[in-house]
Amino acid sequence: MGIIIRQSLKATIVNYVGAFIGFITTMFVSTKFLSPEEIGLTRVMIEAATILGGLMALGISSSGLRFFPFFKTDKNSHNNGFLFYLLLFPMIGAIVFGLLFLCLKTGITGYFEAESPLFNRFFYYVIPLAIFMAFTYAFEAYATNLMRIVIPKFIREILLRLMNIVIILLYFFGFFTLPQFIFGLVSIYGIMMVLNGIYIATMGKFSLKYDFSYIEKPLKKEVRNYTGFLLLASMGGAIVTKVDIFMLSGMLGLEYSGVYSIAMYMAVIVEIPNRSLQAISSPVAAQAIKEKNHDKAQELFKKVSLNQLLVGSLIFIFLWINIDTIFYYIPNSEIYRTGKYVVLFIGIARIFDSVANFAGILVTYSKYYYYSLFFMFFLMFVTIGLNLTFIPIYAISGAAFSTALTFILYNILMLSFVKWKLNLHPFSINMLKILVIIATIVLINFVLPTVGNPLIDSLYRSSILAIIAGCSVFFWNVSEDMNSVIKSFLRRDKIRSL
């Protein structure tokens, strides 16, 4: 776990710096300088492009991780056409799904016409935005396989958000019209794609030479079959994870989507460590599955899930403790406060997902990968039904509850399947220790006296509870990886003091 912990720790630091910038952008810049409808517009466009870009990529992120070990040879390492393979798929996908998206224009714009006509003005902007995302996925997958995730994370999590702040301010102060603002939004994703390509080139790893002669026909067939599976899985996954915001926009309007997006952003902070740890652990998981190394896969599953539960649940608890203070200080808080229970439902769901979703990764890299497709399409119909039921009754809270229930149900199914087919599970006694610590923090928070000033109240509560949580985690030895990180920092401080 050495390189995994080092790279994931660095990437997590980058993620949290980016999260801080994103927090400022989302909670203060966007809410101050953009209307809820404009926030909803940008969110729907990005989510639509994320789905389309995922389809254009033809599952290259997972496919690249799964088959990278087969591209390694003693003779020429990873340079036998792997980058060409990664870029070929989004090239094909951009043509196929770009044309399909245009063919579906009438149906898509008709759905948004009544409540969200502003989206239809910028329909065509989704295509280049999706293409930039698809090629970025390919470059990031290449860097991930080389165990170099920090710079791509920096580009995505920090630089992209800083550029986003710039175009928002330019729009607010009248330098941009709305169409120019949307063009700028699309352009910064193009810049992200280009910078990722430049990074790979500076590593000396950018080569479009290809030689697939050493790849046997059965493997080529497996690549084709797996890609087809990923394509269908991407479609189902996109519907399951993004349908809430599209149904809100179509049924209630972009204003509701804007409020929902602000609350959703707070909730997904919970899964930030998961992005780094999953990115750097996935190649190791792919290698373990290829080698049929059950013990290695089991150890990895337990460690990843344990650390996700620890970090994710602590983040969520401190977020929820301070939720009223956050809404108190954000601009136009009376509008966005209605998203409070969106944070609760989505936050709980994301904790469960971050703990259990490594099961899905293991299935994806195993010979049983096609089973997850059945689960995905089953849940696709479930989540649509839940949203149709709860959105008209509870609006954005109904959408959040539907999404949370879907996430939890999917992960329960996946955990059960992994135990049944692969005999792997993430559970350990240390998980119970974490739950005890979380319950203790919640109880202590209830008995702490309230201070009149919201900011001072949040600071003193958070400080006390953070000390209790940190000491409990360290002295109870909940996570060996976390303790080793803490000890390494303590040793460095001692050396500096000498």
Side-chain angles (χ1 to χ4, degrees), residues 57-77:
L58 299 177
I60 199 63
S61 295
S62 296
S63 178
L65 290 169
R66 176 179 170 85
F67 293 108
F68 180 69
F70 296 95
F71 281 79
K72 287 182 177 180
T73 65
D74 294 334
K75 182 180 178 181
N76 202 24
S77 184

Side-chain angles (χ1 to χ4, degrees), residues 83 109 140 143 161 176 275 288 314 383 397 428 482:
L83 183 58
T109 56
E140 289 178 343
R161 287 176 169 143
F176 283 173
R275 300 173 191 171
L314 286 175
T383 190
S397 295
S428 64
M482 191 64 65

Side-chain angles (χ1 to χ4, degrees), residues 19 52 72 75 105 120 126 189-190 232 238 268 272 366 379 397 430:
L52 184 60
K72 287 182 177 180
K75 182 180 178 181
K105 179 189 174 184
N120 293 344
V126 174
Y189 280 85
L232 293 173
V268 298
I272 289 176
S366 75
L379 289 171
S397 295
N430 282 344

Side-chain angles (χ1 to χ4, degrees), residues 25-35 39 172 331-332 336:
T25 305
T26 304
M27 307 307 298
F28 297 98
V29 178
S30 294
T31 55
K32 177 69 175 178
F33 301 129
L34 298 177
S35 69
I39 294 173
F172 178 77
N332 301 307
Y336 297 102

Side-chain angles (χ1 to χ4, degrees), residues 68-129:
F68 180 69
F70 296 95
F71 281 79
K72 287 182 177 180
T73 65
D74 294 334
K75 182 180 178 181
N76 202 24
S77 184
H78 53 265
N79 293 323
N80 292 288
F82 188 64
L83 183 58
F84 178 85
Y85 161 77
L86 288 179
L87 296 180
L88 177 63
F89 279 72
M91 288 178 192
I92 297 170
I95 296 171
V96 173
F97 287 100
L99 291 174
L100 180 61
F101 187 70
L102 290 174
C103 291
L104 295 174
K105 179 189 174 184
T106 302
I108 295 171
T109 56
Y111 178 76
F112 289 102
E113 184 62 36
E115 299 294 340
S116 303
L118 186 61
F119 171 77
N120 293 344
R121 286 181 55 190
F122 302 101
F123 174 85
Y124 292 108
Y125 285 78
V126 174
I127 296 176
L129 184 57

